[in-house]
Amino acid sequence: MIYWTFFTDRLLAVNHKLEEFVREKILGITTFAPVIDGQFLTESVYKGSFFTKKPMMIGSTQNEARLFTRFTPHVAEETDKKFFPYMNKKESQGRTCHYHNFHFPNFLENRKLLTGIMYTVPKYWLADSYSIENSVYIYRFDFYSGIFKLLNLKACHIIDVPIQFDIGMYLYSGNILKAKRLGYYMHQYIGNFDKTGNPNGKILFLKTI
């Protein structure tokens, strides 16, 4: 037991130093991720070749990054240095030219840019790659209400989780019945996908909610 405690303490200490190092260089809060080592993983996951013949359903929310910019001010105030750590000024400007009047730091636009970098763009990259050999179904979750509206989080990261599991529905105060109805249909679409590989099968429409 003493040895195990010593081992975990050392592991956590090393992890803390690694997190500090990574966050000095790259924007984000997640240190551990797939690493391209040239042997087991030879290229980015979303660009890889896939040999399985199974359908995929993949999605994200409309305003994923609003959760992070709302509660982590350093993200909202970040400049292009950590958004694009491996690009020069011209290359980073090429990535932001699609955003209206974009300039760093920009609290509102950083939300959109971070959503694109972390979720939307990789989602479509993966879908494009995987769809060469397999069926892919893509969705975007736009609904928000209650606390998410009050805090101006909109359809942020994790807003869909309580609805999927039918828990904490008080979070959607003002539209609880609509949230429940949405969860009901989500269950049916996900169930169809689990059973047939296609979410667009038979749907039982609610009349009481």
Side-chain angles (χ1 to χ4, degrees):
M1 180 64 70
I2 295 177
Y3 174 78
W4 178 250
T5 302
F6 174 73
F7 176 77
T8 54
D9 288 344
R10 288 193 61 186
L11 185 61
L12 290 172
V14 171
N15 176 59
H16 181 67
K17 290 183 178 180
L18 179 61
E19 286 182 341
E20 288 183 340
F21 174 79
V22 170
R23 292 175 189 175
E24 285 180 2
K25 307 294 182 182
I26 304 173
L27 185 68
I29 58 174
T30 302
T31 301
F32 291 99
V35 175
I36 301 174
D37 60 0
Q39 296 181 357
F40 178 76
L41 186 62
T42 59
E43 57 184 337
S44 296
V45 175
Y46 56 79
K47 294 181 180 179
S49 299
F50 300 93
F51 301 102
T52 59
K53 297 295 182 181
K54 294 183 179 181
M56 173 190 290
M57 186 164 67
I58 184 172
S60 58
T61 68
Q62 184 181 21
N63 313 107
E64 292 274 3
R66 276 181 174 262
L67 181 67
F68 311 125
T69 55
R70 177 68 175 79
F71 297 108
T72 50
H74 71 280
V75 175
E77 299 167 2
E78 188 53 65
T79 64
D80 60 335
K81 184 177 180 181
K82 287 187 178 180
F83 270 109
F84 307 108
Y86 306 112
M87 297 181 185
N88 58 40
K89 193 72 174 180
K90 184 178 181 180
E91 290 173 328
S92 66
Q93 288 176 344
R95 300 301 190 277
T96 59
C97 66
H98 302 290
Y99 294 82
H100 181 63
N101 293 329
F102 194 95
H103 60 280
F104 287 105
N106 186 316
F107 180 76
L108 295 177
E109 294 296 335
N110 276 15
R111 297 172 174 180
K112 298 178 183 178
L113 182 60
L114 194 58
T115 294
I117 292 174
M118 293 180 66
Y119 297 93
T120 308
V121 174
K123 176 179 70 177
Y124 285 110
W125 276 341
L126 176 58
D128 285 343
S129 178
Y130 197 76
S131 65
I132 295 174
E133 299 290 341
N134 303 275
S135 297
V136 178
Y137 302 91
I138 302 173
Y139 69 88
R140 191 181 77 180
F141 190 96
D142 291 4
F143 171 79
Y144 65 94
S145 183
I147 191 68
F148 300 98
K149 184 176 182 179
L150 179 65
L151 296 178
N152 198 25
L153 294 171
K154 295 190 175 181
C156 68
H157 187 63
I158 67 113
I159 189 175
D160 52 326
V161 175
I163 289 179
Q164 287 188 45
F165 292 96
D166 193 23
I167 57 175
M169 301 308 284
Y170 59 87
L171 295 171
Y172 309 96
S173 177
N175 261 315
I176 292 177
L177 292 181
K178 186 174 182 179
K180 283 182 171 290
R181 188 181 185 91
L182 177 58
Y184 171 83
Y185 290 129
M186 288 177 68
H187 294 162
Q188 294 215 34
Y189 284 116
I190 294 172
N192 286 341
F193 180 77
D194 288 341
K195 294 174 183 177
T196 68
N198 186 336
N200 299 308
K202 184 178 180 181
I203 298 294
L204 299 176
F205 290 97
L206 278 176
K207 295 182 180 180
T208 57
I209 297 182

